């Protein structure tokens, strides 16, 4: 699995969802799962949105000051993901698109977690201790 301890945010729900996203992205490259790529892509598309929605709900709960900025990062990612997803559906299910989706999810997510999610989760944990 691509997730490792350095990616831990300390917020269990978010960490679980991040792990799942990496598992699903990895499935795209797993030869034994090739038949299920369309299903995996659909799952990923929905799960990404669900994850971002959950994360943003936590941000609202603690009135995270950077929530609007963070939301824009999520929107940007969803746009990129959907563009590749449509490309896969419309252009004959090419392997190159699958590789691009895998690398988008894995690389974007890693960078995003390390900087933006960790920053938010530290804030969240601090605020939760207060109440
Ligand atoms: Fe995020």
């Amino acid at each position: 699995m691509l997730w490792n301890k350095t990616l831990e945010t300390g917020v269990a729900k978010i960490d679980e969802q991040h792990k799942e996203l990496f598992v699903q992205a990895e499935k795209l490259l797993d030869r034994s799962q090739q038949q299920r790529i369309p299903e995996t892509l659909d799952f990923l598309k929905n799960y990404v949105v669900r994850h971002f929605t959950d994360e943003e709900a936590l941000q609202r709960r603690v009135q995270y000051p950077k929530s609007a900025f963070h939301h824009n990062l999520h929107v940007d990612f969803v746009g990129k993901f959907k563009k590749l997803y449509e490309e896969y559906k419309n252009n004959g299910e090419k392997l190159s698109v699958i590789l691009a989706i895998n690398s988008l999810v894995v690389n974007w997510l890693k960078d995003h977690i390390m900087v933006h999610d960790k920053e938010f989760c530290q804030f969240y944990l601090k605020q939760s201790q207060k109440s």
Side-chain angles (χ1 to χ4, degrees):
M1 147 132 65
L2 293 164
W3 192 90
N4 64 63
K5 275 264 176 194
T6 66
L7 294 163
E8 199 169 61
T9 65
V11 179
K13 184 179 186 177
I14 290 186
D15 286 334
E16 285 315 307
Q17 292 183 343
H18 286 159
K19 282 179 197 170
E20 184 64 25
L21 284 168
F22 282 120
V23 166
Q24 297 298 324
E26 230 178 341
K27 260 194 194 175
L28 295 172
L29 305 186
D30 181 345
R31 278 179 159 266
S32 69
Q33 301 286 332
Q34 293 306 290
Q35 301 294 332
R36 301 184 60 202
I37 280 182
E39 264 172 82
T40 305
L41 284 179
D42 284 336
F43 181 89
L44 260 174
K45 188 163 67 100
N46 295 328
Y47 198 83
V48 156
V49 172
R50 185 180 136 198
H51 166 59
F52 289 166
T53 304
D54 287 349
E55 207 178 87
E56 290 174 21
L58 293 183
Q59 295 189 355
R60 277 194 298 278
R61 193 187 294 172
V62 295
Q63 296 179 316
Y64 184 49
K66 291 186 174 179
S67 63
F69 170 75
H70 202 119
H71 172 72
N72 287 338
L73 298 174
H74 288 168
V75 169
D76 188 53
F77 175 83
V78 170
K80 284 179 178 146
F81 185 94
K82 284 192 173 161
K83 201 167 160 233
L84 286 170
Y85 178 88
E86 294 306 322
E87 208 174 310
Y88 179 78
K89 296 271 167 180
N90 300 334
N91 297 337
E93 310 190 350
K94 289 204 184 79
L95 180 64
S96 59
V97 184
I98 285 302
L99 294 175
I101 293 174
N102 169 270
S103 107
L104 173 72
V105 175
V106 170
N107 294 325
W108 186 93
L109 201 59
K110 275 186 180 164
D111 291 347
H112 180 80
I113 292 171
M114 289 308 280
V115 178
H116 304 289
D117 286 348
K118 282 197 174 191
E119 192 183 359
F120 160 61
C121 288
Q122 272 169 17
F123 181 88
Y124 179 82
L125 292 169
K126 234 190 256 166
Q127 294 302 109
S128 314
Q129 278 163 9
K130 283 186 197 164
S131 50

